[in-house]
Amino acid sequence: MPVSMPSTPLWKPGRALMEQSVLKKYMDWLFVKKGLFFRSYHDLWEWSVTDVEDFWESLWHFFQIKSHDTYFTVMERTEADMLHTRWFSRATLNYAEHIFRHKTRDRPALVFQSERHSLQEISWDTLEKQVAAVSTWLRRRGVKRGDRVAAVLPNIPQAVVAFLATQSVGAVWSSCSPDFGEASILDRFFQIEPKVLLMADSYQYNGRTFDKISDFQKLIKKLPSVELSVLVPYLDKDASLDGTVSWEDILHSPTTALDFEPLPFDHPLWILYSSGTTGAPKAITHSVGGCLLEHLKALTFHQNVKPGDRYFWYSTTGWMMWNYSLASLLTGATLVLYDGAPAFPTLQVLWTFAEKARINHFGGGAAYFIACRKANLSVPTERLKHLQTIGSTGSPLTAEAYEWIYEHISRDVWLISLSGGTDVCSAFVGGCPLLPVYAGEIQCRMLGCKLEAYSEEGTPVSNQVGEMVILQPMPSMPIYFWNDPDDQRYRNSYFETYPGVWRHGDWIKITPRGSVIIFGRSDATLNRGGVRIGTAEIYSALEKIPEIKDSLVVYLEQEDGSGDMPLFVVLAQPGNLTTELKTQINDTLRSQFSPRHVPDRIEEVLDVPYTISGKKLETPIKKILMGQLPERVVSRDTLRNPEAIDIFATMAAKKSVL
């Protein structure tokens, strides 16, 4: 089991942060308006997950939600397992309208930079004019409430404009990153039958340009629902394609004033997708009102994003963090965008960008911060004088990475580790400006999220490792999966294991101080001798060994009831997997955790496969090593480095691990 909890925090909030935080203002507001007094964050959390309707209704009033019709009831729960819980019935609102409440001449709406484009600012006036132009064009072409607008665009201002225009007319947004392969994009968009398709001529990554014109032609032919095709010239300003409308022509077409379609609270806002590593990606559909309330809560209370701040999260349009980061505009912050590779030409590029763009909130995948630590990267604190928070998500952030951030980036920064998912387009656990930060621990369960750790028997456990479950509905839970009329895929995804309870699939421990430790995906759990081990424990221990660049561990059950636990390592110096290094690995795992953490074998590989959003492919690799065909368990188009799959497929073919 894990080593003892750290007793000394890496960071404590100062008095100014605690007193001036949006969360403290909310607590004061509850006292004045509702007569509710809470001595601690944990008391506030307990109320938020007990008096569920009162909590969510309080957010409606605290954030002054603009509704074109008054809501009738806050919550109507008709089924035992949370499906189809209805929120704020009869209310009508618009997500984009709430964003434009913050338009101002005092600061830019967007800041953008890419591998090729120098830093530029986009004013609120420019953003509004462009959104008005695109929304006018959509309306005149017959795009209406409920139609789908699909986009294959890089993380560029045009993508933000297209989303806001889509939402303003009441259409439903869905996007893929241009580094997705054609088959992967089709797997997603074919399900939702888009009426409009937008695509960039090309994209850039690691200093290379990738042309997408031919892919665009193929997609148009294979998506019969598409009536309107828009080419967005990005790297080639003269790019054109017969049968498509130019983005520039849309921007310069006659425009009416920006208008917002009032939509029911549970009207679809956007469609996101599961990773698609096994089977067709699930088309997860979220509501306008659910995301609006959840995002205001998450970004203001749990990250303290305020008007005038600059908010950045390294992402692509194919990861839910792109959608989540858009929500910073709801708070009055400036959204900061970067398009390109996070390590080109070096790992310093994003930290240099943070300095130049005067970023206050800097976010990225845990894999990025771990890579920075492995590279012994250090950033002088004076270069990041605007930085207030660093956010991490995508996979568990190791304790060593926590310590690296405080030793080599800033001792004063508030490190916020988030964990949630595409399922709710937000986080279940995250930051709190009233609590300290301890290495390897997520500060708290977020307000309104009744999260517990469950034993195999389905009972809550404290200070023990268990399944992450959610016991109360949240407005940002999916309204449905697209093309899942009987909710069979929806129900199977979350409610099969514990009737009426949302099982998320993470392996967690809630500590006595209320923080949360995540040990990885529960479906990748290492079940050794009846003792379940989180893969994150293995990776955390190996972080301390400089010779190891990356690793992957799986547990392979055998027909006779025995098992085999191989550990695959990527070395900083390939070819140097010596007996001494194997002994060091085993000794480290045994001493830091237990003999059960020691693998049966250690093998060197040249790479470990990751999804485009930065998650290790533990479960698909396990299935491949146990004899399943790679093409049946993973879509190569969803991978950042698909060639890494071949390494394990070759092993399986040779039966070298069976």
Side-chain angles (χ1 to χ4, degrees), residues 283-494:
I284 302 171
T285 310
H286 293 110
S287 70
V288 173
C291 285
L292 176 64
L293 274 185
E294 172 62 32
H295 289 163
L296 282 168
K297 178 206 76 176
L299 274 89
T300 60
F301 292 170
H302 295 281
Q303 292 185 262
N304 202 41
V305 184
K306 305 180 300 300
D309 286 353
R310 293 190 170 200
Y311 188 92
F312 167 73
W313 204 288
Y314 178 78
S315 181
T316 72
T317 58
W319 187 21
M320 52 85 37
M321 289 307 299
W322 184 82
N323 305 71
Y324 181 86
S325 64
L326 286 174
S328 61
L329 294 169
L330 291 171
T331 72
T334 294
L335 173 60
V336 183
L337 309 171
Y338 185 85
D339 178 44
F344 178 82
T346 72
L347 279 168
Q348 285 278 5
V349 65
L350 292 184
W351 299 109
T352 301
F353 175 54
E355 177 186 15
K356 289 171 55 182
R358 305 194 303 279
I359 289 171
N360 304 114
H361 306 277
F362 179 101
Y368 172 72
F369 299 113
I370 291 170
C372 287
R373 176 189 172 274
K374 283 287 187 179
N376 294 316
L377 185 143
S378 186
V379 182
T381 300
E382 61 270 16
R383 286 180 49 193
L384 300 172
K385 59 185 177 182
H386 299 281
L387 195 62
Q388 300 170 19
T389 72
I390 290 179
S392 173
T393 193
S395 58
L397 188 65
T398 62
E400 291 73 26
Y402 274 70
E403 291 164 350
W404 169 80
I405 285 171
Y406 281 100
E407 291 172 5
H408 296 277
I409 301 298
S410 172
R411 294 194 176 277
D412 298 323
V413 76
W414 170 20
L415 174 57
I416 304 170
S417 181
L418 301 171
S419 183
T422 303
D423 319 80
V424 290
C425 198
S426 186
F428 296 124
V429 293
C432 177
L434 310 180
L435 298 173
V437 171
Y438 292 88
E441 300 179 19
I442 299 175
Q443 285 177 286
C444 67
R445 292 172 282 186
M446 288 171 58
L447 296 178
C449 179
K450 190 168 178 55
L451 179 147
E452 300 289 352
Y454 259 22
S455 67
E456 290 187 69
E457 294 73 31
T459 57
V461 294
S462 180
N463 205 27
Q464 296 180 37
V465 179
E467 287 273 4
M468 178 194 290
V469 297
I470 313 297
L471 303 181
Q472 291 283 5
M474 299 169 61
S476 63
M477 286 176 173
I479 44 177
Y480 44 73
F481 290 177
W482 203 271
N483 273 341
D484 183 28
D486 298 323
D487 294 319
Q488 194 60 47
R489 296 190 79 192
Y490 191 166
R491 205 176 297 276
N492 291 346
S493 296
Y494 309 113

Side-chain angles (χ1 to χ4, degrees), residues 79-351:
E79 298 187 35
D81 55 10
M82 305 184 202
L83 267 71
H84 307 308
T85 299
R86 293 199 62 201
W87 297 90
F88 295 94
S89 59
R90 299 189 186 180
T92 56
L93 35 69
N94 189 285
Y95 193 98
E97 184 174 19
H98 283 79
I99 283 176
F100 277 99
R101 292 198 299 184
H102 296 284
K103 65 179 181 181
T104 177
R105 294 182 178 178
D106 296 336
R107 53 185 176 270
L110 307 175
V111 173
F112 170 68
Q113 184 178 312
S114 77
E115 288 183 5
R116 292 194 183 183
H117 300 84
S118 58
L119 192 73
Q120 56 188 266
E121 297 184 350
I122 293 92
S123 69
W124 277 99
D125 182 60
T126 297
L127 179 65
E128 184 176 30
K129 287 178 179 177
Q130 292 189 1
V131 172
V134 178
S135 64
T136 299
W137 181 84
L138 289 171
R139 281 195 171 97
R140 287 176 175 165
R141 295 304 184 277
V143 177
K144 58 187 183 302
R145 178 191 293 196
D147 288 339
R148 274 76 66 208
V149 175
V152 185
L153 295 172
N155 186 20
I156 56 179
Q158 293 93 321
V160 178
V161 171
F163 161 70
L164 292 172
T166 297
Q167 165 57 191
S168 71
V169 303
V172 185
W173 174 261
S174 192
S175 60
C176 283
S177 173
D179 53 0
F180 280 28
E182 177 199 337
S184 184
I185 295 171
L186 277 172
D187 281 345
R188 288 155 171 77
F189 289 167
F190 194 83
Q191 298 182 60
I192 67 169
E193 299 178 299
K195 188 172 187 175
V196 184
L197 178 65
L198 301 95
M199 194 161 185
D201 65 284
S202 53
Y203 73 95
Q204 62 204 344
Y205 198 83
N206 272 336
R208 295 178 57 196
T209 299
F210 299 86
D211 184 84
K212 298 295 291 185
I213 293 290
S214 61
D215 283 356
F216 198 8
Q217 290 175 310
K218 295 174 185 175
L219 284 171
I220 293 171
K221 292 177 181 177
K222 294 180 180 180
L223 290 171
S225 63
V226 172
E227 299 176 13
L228 302 165
S229 304
V230 180
L231 179 65
V232 181
Y234 175 42
L235 299 182
D236 180 2
K237 295 302 180 184
D238 297 321
S240 62
L241 179 61
D242 290 343
T244 66
V245 179
S246 169
W247 177 261
E248 293 301 318
D249 288 345
I250 293 174
L251 293 185
H252 293 97
S253 61
T255 302
T256 59
L258 183 56
D259 188 35
F260 303 100
E261 179 77 11
L263 301 166
F265 189 94
D266 58 359
H267 189 276
L269 171 65
W270 48 46
I271 302 169
L272 307 180
Y273 304 91
S274 60
S275 60
T277 52
T278 58
K282 295 184 283 284
I284 302 171
T285 310
H286 293 110
S287 70
V288 173
C291 285
L292 176 64
L293 274 185
E294 172 62 32
H295 289 163
L296 282 168
K297 178 206 76 176
L299 274 89
T300 60
F301 292 170
H302 295 281
Q303 292 185 262
N304 202 41
V305 184
K306 305 180 300 300
D309 286 353
R310 293 190 170 200
Y311 188 92
F312 167 73
W313 204 288
Y314 178 78
S315 181
T316 72
T317 58
W319 187 21
M320 52 85 37
M321 289 307 299
W322 184 82
N323 305 71
Y324 181 86
S325 64
L326 286 174
S328 61
L329 294 169
L330 291 171
T331 72
T334 294
L335 173 60
V336 183
L337 309 171
Y338 185 85
D339 178 44
F344 178 82
T346 72
L347 279 168
Q348 285 278 5
V349 65
L350 292 184
W351 299 109

Side-chain angles (χ1 to χ4, degrees), residues 613-628:
S613 60
K615 293 180 172 60
K616 290 184 185 183
L617 262 70
E618 295 165 321
T619 301
I621 292 302
K622 173 179 177 176
K623 292 178 179 179
I624 290 171
L625 293 175
M626 294 186 72
Q628 295 193 40

